[in-house]
């Protein structure tokens, strides 16, 4: 007995092999299609929700970055005003000291 002859392979004719390959292919194709449909039905809603969540996180990150920029700009603006306020306070103290000196000189002249 030979493994391959002109009319058979492993004791089955080429027609039988063709039938076996066709049946196995149909089973695999049907199984693949069922698994794909099942995966689509179960995973598509999850995938959609994950895309929405990702989009929301991206929007939140953009908002947070803009808020950080505004806060940084506000801090710089506040620091400039604080320096101006300190300068005005120093000028006010200087004016008060001069007024006291003038009042002290007036009392000396009286």
């Amino acid at each position: 007995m030979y493994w391959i002859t002109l009319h058979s392979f492993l004791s089955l004719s080429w027609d039988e092999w063709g039938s076996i390959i066709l049946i196995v292919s149909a089973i695999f194709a049907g199984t693949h299609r069922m698994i794909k449909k099942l995966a689509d039905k179960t995973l598509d809603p999850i995938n959609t929700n994950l895309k929405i969540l990702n989009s929301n996180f991206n929007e939140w990150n953009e908002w947070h970055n803009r808020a950080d920029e505004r806060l940084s700009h506000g801090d710089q603006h506040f620091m400039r005003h604080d320096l101006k306020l300190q300068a005005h306070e120093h000028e006010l103290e200087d004016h008060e000291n001069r007024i006291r000196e003038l009042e002290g000189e007036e009392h000396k002249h009286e």
Side-chain angles (χ1 to χ4, degrees), residues 57-73:
F57 273 127
N58 287 336
E59 288 177 20
W60 187 85
N61 284 336
E62 289 174 11
W63 176 83
H64 192 265
N65 289 337
R66 287 193 307 266
D68 281 345
E69 288 175 12
R70 286 192 310 265
L71 182 62
S72 175
H73 180 71

Side-chain angles (χ1 to χ4, degrees), residues 3-94:
W3 286 52
I4 297 177
T5 64
L6 191 55
H7 301 289
S8 67
F9 176 70
L10 296 175
S11 300
L12 296 174
S13 70
W14 294 112
D15 307 0
E16 293 168 334
W17 278 112
S19 299
I20 291 171
I21 290 173
L22 181 65
I23 292 169
V24 170
S25 297
I27 290 172
F28 280 128
T31 305
H32 178 264
R33 190 175 213 185
M34 282 184 1
I35 290 172
K36 187 172 189 237
K37 276 190 173 187
L38 182 64
D40 286 347
K41 283 184 179 181
T42 56
L43 296 179
D44 274 348
I46 294 171
N47 192 26
T48 302
N49 287 335
L50 287 175
K51 285 180 182 178
I52 292 169
L53 181 65
N54 190 26
S55 173
N56 289 341
F57 273 127
N58 287 336
E59 288 177 20
W60 187 85
N61 284 336
E62 289 174 11
W63 176 83
H64 192 265
N65 289 337
R66 287 193 307 266
D68 281 345
E69 288 175 12
R70 286 192 310 265
L71 182 62
S72 175
H73 180 71
D75 283 347
Q76 293 170 357
H77 189 69
F78 177 74
M79 290 171 71
R80 283 195 305 264
H81 282 292
D82 190 39
L83 291 174
K84 287 180 183 178
L85 181 62
Q86 288 175 0
H88 288 301
E89 286 176 354
H90 181 67
E91 288 177 16
L92 183 60
E93 285 179 23
D94 188 43

